[in-house]
Amino acid sequence: MFTDEAALEERLATPSPALVADLARLEGDLLVLGAGGKMGPSLCKLARRALDAAGRSDVTVYAVSRWSDKSAADALEAAGVSTVAFDLMDPAADLAELPDAGNIVFMVGAKFGSAGAPSHAWAVNAAMPDRVARRWPDSRIAAFSTGNVYPLVPVSSGGCTEDDPVGPVGEYAMSCLGRERMFGHAALTRGTRVANIRLNYAVDLRYGVLADIAHRVQSGEPVDVTTGHANVVWQGYANEVALRSLLHATDGEAFTINLTGPETASVRRIARWFGEEFGREPVLAGEEAPTALLSDASRCHALFGYPDVALRTLVEWQADWLRRGLPLSGKPTKFQVRDGRF
């Protein structure tokens, strides 16, 4: 259990032996684009610690963001990460001003509000990746994508695999597929080594599917079970896989991997688990639809091992977090959305 945010950050920044071994083989510096988002700071700290544990003080970790929250940048600097203040969406911004690096983690994305401003979503999610790939054609690039590139599938299917056809619903999902296509084009035409990481949904207790459900159960608000199933995964594992994927990045055809937990998790069951944790009956609304956005991450687990934190443990951590009155990000996942309008 975690007594405060500092304890959570410490857990998220603790590397596994496998990550240390992989990052020991890294060639060149590491540049994280969009490092100011929900997952970026913990990924940067995790990478720095793993590199230090591997004796790779020669590798610099650069964290690029606008850094409107100076305290977040200061915390990274204190952890040995070099922060770079840069607005990637500034039309006058010159990517040549950013450091050269042999390894790029691309975390930039636009989701919420994309239904009302689709051109912005395409500019961020598809046009920017093309600029990035042209700026660093000889680097390894691990790019965060999303399971939203898949269609809704029957709950009994076990989820889409990387070999299944994509079928994005809505502007956000389509623009994210555009991101993959731009990086894939760089792999095909310029030999850029690319890994596309289809993530859904990361959990770090301050946000995520579990936080969304737990908050509603604790406050007595209805939990809509129409979207009755989802995938979740511990953020620490997600960050490790993203970093380790750099060594699997390929040219010609981009390496693509689903990143999530092994369960097709029932929203109804999770709500009942939280009801047991909080000592109250959850208020459930709706009936489960026969389809959901689901991914099969068997390939990921075979390469990188199973997530190190089980679903039931995440539920217990989440309940304890809320009982202690610890903060939430205030940014719901909107995993219940079925029409692609975010």
Side-chain angles (χ1 to χ4, degrees), residues 22-213:
D22 273 2
L23 293 198
R25 299 159 52 201
L26 215 59
E27 297 178 359
D29 292 332
L30 174 64
L31 182 68
V32 181
L33 300 176
K38 291 183 292 187
M39 296 176 67
S42 61
L43 180 142
C44 292
K45 292 177 187 175
L46 178 68
R48 181 68 271 162
R49 283 199 179 180
L51 288 162
D52 289 344
R56 294 301 306 277
S57 60
D58 58 308
V59 177
T60 300
V61 177
Y62 296 102
V64 178
S65 176
R66 287 175 295 180
W67 297 119
S68 52
D69 180 1
K70 189 176 182 300
S71 64
D74 290 343
L76 284 180
E77 289 282 351
V81 175
S82 297
T83 58
V84 181
F86 192 90
D87 186 352
L88 289 161
M89 286 305 296
D90 183 346
D94 184 358
L95 296 185
E97 297 175 4
L98 292 175
D100 292 329
N103 307 278
I104 313 291
V105 176
F106 186 86
M107 307 187 78
V108 185
K111 181 176 183 179
F112 301 121
S114 57
S119 61
H120 176 71
W122 282 90
V124 175
N125 296 337
M128 188 189 299
D130 181 60
R131 293 178 60 213
V132 167
R134 291 178 185 277
R135 166 63 179 87
W136 292 278
D138 300 319
S139 300
R140 293 179 179 269
I141 301 177
F144 274 92
S145 184
T146 172
N148 286 86
V149 300
Y150 295 121
L152 302 179
V153 295
V155 171
S156 60
S157 69
C160 292
T161 72
E162 297 87 349
D163 297 322
D164 288 329
V166 294
V169 177
E171 295 280 353
Y172 165 68
M174 287 189 286
S175 67
C176 290
L177 182 58
R179 176 199 293 138
E180 291 192 18
R181 295 296 189 242
M182 289 300 96
F183 281 127
H185 180 67
L188 183 65
T189 60
R190 294 189 290 276
T192 305
R193 291 162 293 179
V194 171
N196 284 316
I197 304 162
R198 295 172 176 169
L199 170 66
N200 60 301
Y201 288 95
V203 170
D204 99 333
L205 307 187
R206 291 165 293 196
Y207 78 92
V209 170
L210 299 184
D212 295 345
I213 298 171

Side-chain angles (χ1 to χ4, degrees), residues 2 6-20 42-51 53 234-237 239-240 243 308:
F2 303 98
L8 175 60
E9 290 288 348
E10 177 68 19
R11 179 67 168 78
L12 288 168
T14 301
S16 70
L19 178 63
V20 173
S42 61
L43 180 142
C44 292
K45 292 177 187 175
L46 178 68
R48 181 68 271 162
R49 283 199 179 180
L51 288 162
W234 169 236
Q235 181 178 304
Y237 177 82
N239 281 340
E240 287 221 359
L243 291 167
D308 55 324

